[in-house]
Amino acid sequence: MSNMIQNQGGKAFIPASLVGGGLNGYTPWAKADTFFSEYALHYPSSLILSESNHSYIIGNKASYDGRQYPLALTEKRPEGQGYCHTLVIPKPRIYNVVDPLATENHCFVLKELRDHFFKFWSKEINRHAVLARARKALEERESALAHKGPRPPEYTESVSNAVFSDFERMKSEFLGLKAESDFLLGFHVFPENSIGHLHMHVFPHRDYFREFSTKDYDYKTVPLQAILDVEKEEEEEEEEAMSAKEVVDLTADSSSSDGKVPLNGELPSNAFVAVNKSG
């Protein structure tokens, strides 16, 4: 993991200008922190939509609607990847999904992030909480634009009105989505990650819910299930290799017990047991 951090040049951590600072009344950031490190110590509880023993669910601070990021003000599209883009972050410090800590113990951490969201989404009150947080992000972005001076030519009053009317238009269908089938759960894999703390992106995958969101980051968003499938294949290959090694070791032990190879050419009974286990 240290090589990852070195190769990143520290860009995934708190900017030097913010070290020692933070929100009033909350723990200041240290040099080794990220924006997600010990989240509850640095942010008000109102930003946390749900908490389990192992993770937090939070709303994306950025608006999901790209119309609120006129190119006249920024060259980068920082909006979310879909309507009501949400994040699930583990409490322990895990750098990225390629960190061995993320996939140890049969991918316990990754599965917990998934299961936390599935359980959270099963309650209607929580779905409304996601909507409320997403609308708050729209309002905060609207306020930020107002403080930047004259309204950018691309962001007319009619566009502003459309942002909020489209939010309202999608609400009812959003509330009816199924966690297991209607959302993309994915990760931005190193070295394409922007924050040096593992976090799972959650947003509706249908184009209808992504009409006003960026797709610039789709190339680096790896679905959770793809990662779980690869890890399962690797575990099965390791188990097969171990079983094959046990057969070889048992055969070698039997052959060397009297210094001779069995004349009948058959494996000893204990080797037969090992073969059955491997097959």
Side-chain angles (χ1 to χ4, degrees), residues 82-111:
Y83 184 79
C84 296
H85 189 146
T86 302
L87 304 169
V88 190
I89 57 177
K91 291 181 177 180
R93 292 194 179 212
I94 301 175
Y95 185 74
N96 190 252
V97 73
V98 299
D99 188 328
L101 293 175
T103 54
E104 69 178 5
N105 194 19
H106 306 290
C107 296
F108 172 83
V109 170
L110 302 185
K111 292 176 180 177

Side-chain angles (χ1 to χ4, degrees), residues 21-61:
L23 301 180
N24 290 334
Y26 293 88
T27 303
W29 281 307
K31 185 176 181 180
D33 284 340
T34 73
F35 285 113
F36 293 158
S37 302
E38 288 75 48
Y39 191 86
L41 297 179
H42 300 288
Y43 300 95
S45 59
S46 60
L47 296 181
I48 299 174
L49 300 176
S50 178
E51 178 180 359
S52 72
N53 290 333
H54 306 282
S55 60
Y56 299 108
I57 296 178
I58 64 173
N60 195 358
K61 182 175 176 57

Side-chain angles (χ1 to χ4, degrees), residues 118-138:
F118 283 179
K119 183 177 180 181
F120 169 80
W121 190 254
S122 67
K123 297 181 179 180
E124 185 175 358
I125 189 173
N126 292 337
R127 303 181 188 193
H128 284 281
V130 171
L131 282 170
R133 183 67 194 95
R135 183 177 178 88
K136 182 69 173 177
L138 295 178

Side-chain angles (χ1 to χ4, degrees), residues 161-210:
N161 292 335
V163 166
F164 289 91
S165 64
D166 287 330
F167 171 81
E168 295 297 326
R169 170 174 57 86
M170 297 181 183
K171 279 172 56 174
S172 60
E173 191 167 351
F174 178 74
L175 290 171
L177 296 181
K178 305 298 183 183
E180 296 82 355
S181 58
D182 294 328
F183 288 90
L184 187 147
L185 282 61
F187 301 87
H188 295 172
V189 178
F190 174 86
E192 299 292 346
N193 57 312
S194 58
I195 295 180
H197 188 110
L198 178 68
H199 54 286
M200 185 173 74
H201 298 265
V202 181
F203 54 88
H205 57 69
R206 281 174 45 201
D207 286 342
Y208 173 75
F209 290 106
R210 304 192 66 200

